[in-house]
Amino acid sequence: MNELKVGQEVPDFTLPASTGQNISLRDYRGSKVVLYFYPKNMTPACTQEACEFRDAGDPIARGNAVLLGISPDTLSSHAKFIERNSLPFPLLADEEHKVSQLFGVWQLKKLYGKEFMGIVRSTFLIDEQGLLVKEWRKVRVKGHVEAVLGEIMNK
């Protein structure tokens, strides 16, 4: 499957969410969507990223944007992660990696000499009409949320 490119319309998808309902991308038509993919709940970098996005909630909302986090973790793991870090945004469970594959972030990774499939930390900005307008791939957490905020305010 070819990964999405900037300028393309993002196909609709639906995933189970920490809200207890299924969330579809089409639910947010008319708003910008910041879609961030992260490898695993409760890990240091993923916790830092989630908390930085949490703390940027007001500017994200002022930019007419919503924030959705996606990982392959279960809904019960998401619930614990949300509670532990007071996250005010939904986390979506992509346990079968379908949406991660659509965005090209489910990839072969290496850690301590072992190879495994996993999420490559990435963020995507989708405009009000459903077009992919910006992507950040292989994200380093430091300074990332500020870059996303800058882009939201410029669009």
Side-chain angles (χ1 to χ4, degrees):
M1 179 182 294
N2 292 331
E3 67 187 44
L4 290 169
K5 302 285 185 210
V6 170
Q8 288 182 317
E9 183 171 350
V10 178
D12 190 36
F13 61 82
T14 302
L15 286 173
S18 56
T19 59
Q21 302 167 327
N22 287 336
I23 286 183
S24 297
L25 184 60
R26 69 178 168 270
D27 298 340
Y28 298 100
R29 215 27 93 87
S31 296
K32 297 172 199 158
V33 176
V34 175
L35 197 62
Y36 87 97
F37 291 83
Y38 65 98
K40 190 159 181 57
N41 291 333
M42 308 298 186
T43 58
C46 293
T47 300
Q48 179 184 349
E49 182 179 32
C51 291
E52 287 183 14
F53 272 125
R54 174 200 65 206
D55 296 345
D58 287 342
I60 289 171
R62 282 195 304 273
N64 188 35
V66 296
L67 177 65
L68 301 172
I70 298 180
S71 84
D73 292 301
T74 64
L75 289 175
S76 62
S77 177
H78 282 341
K80 291 174 190 166
F81 192 50
I82 287 169
E83 183 177 349
R84 181 171 290 170
N85 297 292
S86 303
L87 303 179
F89 51 86
L91 298 178
L92 284 60
D94 189 19
E95 292 182 72
E96 296 177 9
H97 322 120
K98 289 181 180 170
V99 177
S100 303
Q101 288 173 354
L102 172 69
F103 282 84
V105 301
W106 184 252
Q107 297 178 13
L108 186 64
K109 298 170 73 173
K110 286 185 181 182
L111 184 65
Y112 304 119
K114 295 192 187 280
E115 291 187 337
F116 60 96
M117 293 299 290
I119 296 276
V120 175
R121 187 182 316 279
S122 303
T123 302
F124 300 87
L125 179 59
I126 302 165
D127 73 7
E128 295 88 345
Q129 290 74 44
L131 296 178
L132 180 60
V133 293
K134 182 73 176 176
E135 60 183 15
W136 296 265
R137 294 184 181 272
K138 298 181 181 174
V139 165
R140 298 278 180 231
V141 174
K142 185 175 174 66
H144 176 60
V145 171
E146 292 82 1
V148 172
L149 285 174
E151 196 65 32
I152 290 170
M153 298 309 170
N154 287 333
K155 295 289 179 201

